[in-house]
Amino acid sequence: MTDNSAYRIEPHVPPIDDYMRLRLESGLTPFSREAAEKGLPNSIFGVSLMHGNETVGMGRIIGDGGCFFQVTDIAILPAHQGRGLAKWIMAALSDFIATLPKTAYVSLIADVPANRLYSQFGFNETAPRSVGMARVLKPH
Ligand SMILES: CC(C)(COP(=O)(O)OP(=O)(O)OC[C@H]1O[C@@H](n2cnc3c(N)ncnc32)[C@H](O)[C@@H]1OP(=O)(O)O)[C@@H](O)C(=O)NCCC(=O)NCCS
């Protein structure tokens, strides 16, 4: 049994330096600092996974506060992966989702194989009836 007693979830978005580092080191496409400075304060909800004083994971919910929400930025530093900690993050986000209006539409784009994580928290693939589409303005 994995001992995760050194970890804890805190109910806040990571500070910007940690956010930038987590995206980079977990292999997610990094955003510019300017973009992150603008975007993070507009989060609806976020969590930080802490190991002592170090932020080692995160998850965020963005949206309009009433109708549409999106789960973003699910990431754990490589050295801390595979211990079930992403499930802690998703459980915390799910607790928050449970407080949303019952008609809320909560979506996400899953980078395979993370779809196996999200399917354990009630997220179902929408294809073929609807498919995720994305427009990237400019390669990062
Ligand atoms: C996705 C990520 C957060 C999972 O973190 P983790 O700590 O390894 O996840 P957990 O140990 O809590 O495992 C939870 C589930 O994730 C699934 N999973 C997600 N990514 C996986 C991977 N790379 N390999 C195997 N299983 C994976 C498994 O189904 C697992 O559940 P199970 O053990 O019951 O089968 C982590 O791999 C990561 O940060 N990846 C880089 C960033 C990324 O791709 N984020 C998702 C963007 S949509």
Side-chain angles (χ1 to χ4, degrees), residues 26 74-76 81-87 111 116-118 120:
S26 70
I74 304 295
I76 307 247
Q81 291 177 8
R83 310 174 63 98
L85 297 167
K87 293 183 195 176
D111 290 347
R116 282 157 37 196
L117 167 67
Y118 305 130
Q120 296 177 41

Side-chain angles (χ1 to χ4, degrees), residues 34-65:
E34 183 189 15
E37 275 173 351
K38 191 163 187 180
L40 287 186
N42 290 324
S43 305
I44 297 279
F45 182 68
V47 296
S48 301
L49 174 70
M50 306 301 297
H51 185 253
N53 288 328
E54 187 191 6
T55 309
V56 298
M58 64 179 175
R60 220 158 57 98
I61 294 175
I62 60 171
D64 68 7

Side-chain angles (χ1 to χ4, degrees), residues 22-29 78:
L22 280 164
R23 277 202 67 100
L24 185 69
E25 293 184 14
S26 70
L28 293 174
T29 311

